Amino acid sequence: MKTFFFIFSFLLIISCHKEKNEIQKPTFLFGNWIRTNEKDSLITYETWQKNFSGIGLTLKGKDTTFFEQMKILERKDSLFLAISGVNETTTLFKIIEQTDSSFVSENLKNDFPKKIKYFLEKGKLKATISNNDFKVDFIFERIKNND
């Protein structure tokens, strides 16, 4: 009887133990990208590192006309896209949908954008930033290394 009670207690403890699932982060972002649907006089780059930090910058000639820092953060079992360098403080966008080749993030309190979507399609990195009235599409091609 003691053996039965011990085995029953052990199985009960194991079955009640919740295993913490690791949140999958968007590895499809990794690499160096150049925007292919930019205005003629501008060049836009986006680079994502394996630590899930990235930068986006736009050049007009040798002058930087836009610069932002990005990072995928994990907080309280949720993922966020953090954007800094655009506003006075970092803006967090909660990732609300995700697959192995896309994610949608949102911050409904932000004026523009309220939503940011990234997705991989036919080897191209695409992004859409939007609010209820307006959207901007980005299409990036991977920059090939000379290695």
Side-chain angles (χ1 to χ4, degrees):
M1 185 68 176
K2 286 183 183 180
T3 306
F4 173 76
F5 181 72
F6 175 75
I7 292 173
F8 177 76
S9 298
F10 178 74
L11 291 175
L12 183 64
I13 290 170
I14 289 177
S15 66
C16 292
H17 180 266
K18 286 187 177 179
E19 187 174 313
K20 185 177 179 181
N21 292 332
E22 178 140 347
I23 296 175
Q24 183 170 340
K25 294 181 181 175
T27 57
F28 68 91
L29 294 171
F30 295 162
N32 299 310
W33 305 89
I34 186 167
R35 187 174 178 190
T36 59
N37 66 331
E38 185 61 271
K39 296 175 185 171
D40 286 340
S41 62
L42 301 174
I43 300 174
T44 297
Y45 298 98
E46 196 161 296
T47 298
W48 283 91
Q49 304 297 322
K50 290 185 178 179
N51 65 358
F52 296 95
S53 66
I55 60 165
L57 68 105
T58 301
L59 302 173
K60 184 173 186 173
K62 293 182 180 181
D63 296 326
T64 301
T65 61
F66 179 81
F67 180 82
E68 68 181 352
Q69 295 174 306
M70 304 164 290
K71 188 153 185 77
I72 302 293
L73 303 173
E74 185 175 344
R75 292 193 177 164
K76 298 181 183 178
D77 297 328
S78 294
L79 288 179
F80 292 84
L81 172 61
I83 307 288
S84 57
V86 179
N87 298 320
E88 289 182 20
T89 59
T90 299
T91 304
L92 294 178
F93 293 84
K94 184 176 184 178
I95 295 178
I96 59 168
E97 296 175 27
Q98 185 176 2
T99 69
D100 61 345
S101 61
S102 71
F103 72 83
V104 177
S105 60
E106 72 177 8
N107 179 336
L108 298 178
K109 293 179 182 177
N110 198 46
D111 288 332
F112 187 85
K114 291 188 181 300
K115 283 192 175 185
I116 300 175
K117 177 181 180 180
Y118 273 94
F119 58 104
L120 201 57
E121 183 178 271
K122 297 180 183 177
K124 295 183 180 196
L125 181 63
K126 297 185 176 185
T128 301
I129 60 174
S130 63
N131 66 10
N132 297 333
D133 303 316
F134 185 69
K135 77 174 190 169
V136 178
D137 293 317
F138 297 81
I139 302 171
F140 295 93
E141 287 185 356
R142 188 177 300 276
I143 299 172
K144 296 188 179 18
N145 294 333
N146 293 331
D147 299 335

